[in-house]
Each structure stands twice: as structure tokens, then as C-alpha cells.
Amino acid sequence: MTDPFLVLVESNTSGTGPLFARRARDLGVRPVLLAEDPGRYGYARAEEIDVVEADTSSAESVLDAVASLDAGPTAGVTTSSDYFVPVAAEAARALGLPGPDPIATIRCRHKGHQRAALAARGVPVAAQTLVTDADAALHAVRRTGLPAVLKPADGSGSTGVRLCASLAEAAEHAAVLLTRTHNERGIPTVPGLLVEEYVDGPEFSVEVFGDTPVTVVGKHLGAAPYFVETGHDVPAPVPDGTARSLAGTAVAAVEALGLGHGAAHVELRLAARGPVVIEVNPRLAGGMIPELVRAALGIDLVAAQVGAALGHRPDLTARSAHHSSLRFLVVDEPSVLGDPPAALADPPPHVTAAVLTGSRGVPLAPRHDHRDRVGHAVATAPDASTAALAADTALSLLRASLRARTVPEDTA
């Protein structure tokens, strides 16, 4: 094997995971996926992607794995997984390949350090305190005020994030977070938790590439006290002035953190005082947002991200001016997922996808994070309201596949 190859350090198991490999091939390089557990990646077998079992816990181990490959020149190193961005960045830097600043990505992964860096540069952020014990957590809640948000210091996908309305709720959730030593992928977590000011207002993200704001995304969230994302609208249906304000704040955050290579997914809330940064992720957005951007604007962010890892200049030119909406099918009670309803054999106008992604016929229970999403409906239309209505309509049909199940009292 002598063709140039792109090293993928682990991956998302769906969504942008397989898209990274496809875009690499489109750009003339061979994707090679390094994975500690190759069995996680069913898409790799289906798409005949080379998967190499390797220790991906550090840049040193990734470099050892790359050196042992019987392959051609290494053209780039990257990842689609939030958890492995610092490792991929450090490996790329060691090989003299393009990539983000490893120190900046490490700073971003720790939400407390990230928030401190943003505040130091005058970027509007929610007040936040990093604590490492239960007494300090309650003290921080009293100082911050109720309701307060408690979250892991380095989590992703809303895992472990909860809005606490009382000191009792805060104490209970702090105890849960302080016992966590590994995340849902088995990776060791940063000790401690964050107590954060609750910023009231609609939620958005700005998809930034380098120092260019590509689009503003409108977010839909499930019921409190959790923060499960249940849908997206691209572009967000907001006035131009609001979009410019959100985008300007997001770019200021990216610059303050020393990023600027490739994608950054910046989450904000629009408070009465203006845009407030919740967090910056030095990666592409999840939740199929890159595909919504491609459908609405004709901008392929996945191709741009893969190209950036190969040293290419991104093409961020909008080729269309449509609107795309996505709505997730979310498990909010003990359920079983069945087959898609027959009504979706002929989907409503403007609907481009209505699919089930969860496991069929097995007991499902809410985890109150991204893992509760077991299907989605997508629509693209000339205007925002038509796209949103079509996605909502398709989701209502898709819900027929999710059946409630009875849980015995002693196991509830």
C-alpha cells in the first residue's frame, strides 16, 4: 500500500464518522482508522475502510501506530470525535502536518480552563466555578444562584448536564458527577465538576471555519432539567442583526482561545444582555449539522475539515440559499423501537430523510443526553417555516415506531 493516507484517530460511530472517510477518498487519499476497539465501527466494515487496532489514548501511542503501518506517506492526521481532538492535533504537530494548536485544543476540552481564557479576553460567558468536592459545589451554587447548571468538566453531547432548581437537587447531582471516573466511551474524565450560571434565552450555535463564521444554527432543546438537543434549523430564522451579533461573538471566542485551524462549533445563548458563549468545541458540529449546512447552503464542511488536515484551503462559498431543519426522535420514557411506519413510504413534501437509527426491539430507557436520539427527520425548503413544518410533520409520523414499555417497580 503506497498511496498517501489520512489517519483518523477514532471516529464518531455514525453521522460525520463515515463522511470523513468518504471525503478523504474524494480528495484522493486513503482513510486509515486507528481504533482501540474496531468493533465499534460497523460503518468501516460496510464501506471497506482500513481499520487498525491501536492504542489511541495518547499522541505517542498514535505515532507508534502510524510508524508501524505498511502504507504510503502520511498526508494528514485528524478525527471526527470530540474526545480525540487533542491527541490528533498533537500527533499531527509531531509529524509536521497541518492541524490546530494542541495546547489550544487541550484548553478547550477542559470547560473550566476554556471559560477562564474566554473571560480573560472579555468574551461574554456564563459565570462558572470549577469544584472538586460536594461542599465546594454547594457553596458555588449559593454564590451563583438558583437555578444553576451542573456539568462535567470535560463532557460532550449534554452528558451529565442538569439544571438544578434547589440545593437538594444540586447536592444530589454533584454526588453523581463526583463519582464519575470515566465517560461513556470509557475514557478517564477530568476530576471535578462545573457549577454554571443558567443563562435564560434561546440557544444557537455558530459554525466557524478558521476565522470565518459559516452560518448560525437555531437549536431546539428537550424539557428541563436536561439539555438534550432535539432539533436544528439552518440557517437560524433570526434577523440579520442578531445573526451578525452571534457570529461576531463566536469568532471572538475562537480567536481568544488560540484556535483558527479548521472547524469550531461555538454554542451560545441569546440573553437579554446579548450573546453569551456557553462553550467552544474545536471540531465540526455533531447532530448532523454539517449535512444540514450542505443541504441549505451548498457548503461541505466535512470536505473542508478533511481538506484542512491535508493542507488544502477551504471552499466556503455558499452555492444555494435554502433552509434545512432536522428533528430528532428522542426516547423520553422506557420504550421499544419498532419498524418505521408505513406512512413514511411516501414522505411529506420537502422531507429528505426520515430514518430510525436506534436498536430495534430492545428495551430503551432515557439517559438524558445525545444517546436518547434514535431517529431523525430532515427537510429542506426555500424558506425556514416550510422546512421546519415539514420536519415536524415527518417526526410526528416517525414517533409511531416508538412504543412505551412497562418497567417493573423494583427495576424502574
Side-chain angles (χ1 to χ4, degrees):
M1 298 187 291
T2 59
D3 294 336
F5 63 95
L6 175 69
V7 175
L8 301 172
V9 182
E10 300 287 350
S11 166
N12 292 335
T13 54
S14 60
T16 55
L19 291 180
F20 266 58
R22 293 174 197 167
R23 299 300 187 267
R25 285 172 168 162
D26 292 343
L27 292 171
V29 297
R30 183 166 52 84
V32 176
L33 175 61
L34 302 184
E36 190 164 350
D37 178 11
R40 291 181 59 88
Y41 303 106
Y43 78 82
R45 294 187 296 274
E47 302 202 14
E48 299 182 341
I49 297 168
D50 294 326
V51 183
V52 176
E53 185 172 352
D55 179 1
T56 53
S57 62
S58 69
E60 290 77 13
S61 57
V62 166
L63 291 170
D64 288 342
V66 171
S68 68
L69 293 175
D70 180 18
T74 307
V77 180
T78 190
T79 182
S80 62
S81 173
D82 185 64
Y83 301 112
F84 296 92
V85 170
V87 170
E90 190 175 345
R93 176 67 60 89
L95 292 169
L97 297 169
D101 179 359
I103 295 175
T105 64
I106 292 170
R107 184 187 302 119
C108 282
R109 280 292 300 153
H110 191 294
K111 298 183 192 299
H113 297 165
Q114 177 192 126
R115 192 64 56 84
L118 291 172
R121 292 287 296 272
V123 177
V125 295
Q128 188 183 75
T129 305
L130 174 66
V131 298
T132 55
D133 62 72
D135 289 341
L138 289 182
H139 179 70
V141 170
R142 292 187 183 96
R143 186 172 63 250
T144 301
L146 293 167
V149 179
L150 272 63
K151 61 174 64 172
D154 62 347
S156 181
S158 302
T159 304
V161 183
R162 178 166 181 158
L163 181 66
C164 297
S166 68
L167 287 175
E169 286 183 11
E172 180 181 4
H173 193 54
V176 171
L177 294 179
L178 289 169
T179 61
R180 287 163 50 103
T181 58
H182 293 74
N183 63 27
E184 71 273 16
R185 291 196 64 158
I187 301 169
T189 57
V190 171
L193 62 96
L194 295 170
V195 176
E196 181 179 278
E197 168 199 6
Y198 174 62
V199 179
D200 194 12
E203 186 161 321
F204 300 89
S205 72
V206 178
E207 308 314 316
V208 179
F209 205 94
D211 58 1
T212 300
V214 176
T215 192
V216 177
V217 180
K219 297 293 193 75
H220 297 256
L221 300 178
Y226 306 104
F227 294 84
V228 179
E229 293 184 3
T230 59
H232 312 300
D233 296 317
V234 177
V238 296
D240 290 345
T242 300
R244 286 193 297 270
S245 180
L246 289 163
T249 303
V251 170
V254 167
E255 293 174 345
L257 292 169
L259 299 172
H261 178 278
H265 172 63
V266 185
E267 298 178 344
L268 312 94
R269 285 210 165 195
L270 186 57
R273 65 183 187 263
V276 177
V277 174
I278 301 301
E279 65 183 56
V280 178
N281 301 282
R283 55 165 172 81
L284 284 177
M288 296 185 63
I289 289 174
E291 285 298 275
L292 297 180
V293 173
R294 188 163 71 96
L297 306 178
I299 300 172
D300 192 335
L301 288 175
V302 177
Q305 184 75 339
V306 172
L310 300 172
H312 301 173
R313 292 178 61 86
D315 181 2
L316 303 176
T317 305
R319 291 173 169 78
S320 57
H322 300 307
H323 291 260
S324 291
S325 291
L326 177 146
R327 300 292 182 265
F328 287 109
L329 180 65
V330 175
V331 175
D332 55 11
E333 63 178 349
S335 309
V336 174
L337 189 64
D339 293 328
L344 283 173
D346 184 20
H350 306 294
V351 173
T352 58
V355 298
L356 300 177
T357 55
S359 299
R360 315 280 181 88
V362 300
L364 301 172
R367 302 186 186 190
H368 308 301
D369 59 33
H370 65 101
R371 292 172 292 179
D372 291 341
R373 303 189 303 218
V374 295
H376 60 262
V378 182
T380 298
D383 60 86
S385 59
T386 301
L389 178 60
D392 289 337
T393 300
L395 179 65
S396 67
L397 296 173
L398 204 57
R399 280 202 183 97
S401 61
L402 200 58
R403 304 187 304 275
R405 65 182 177 89
T406 302
V407 180
E409 290 186 5
D410 60 343
T411 60

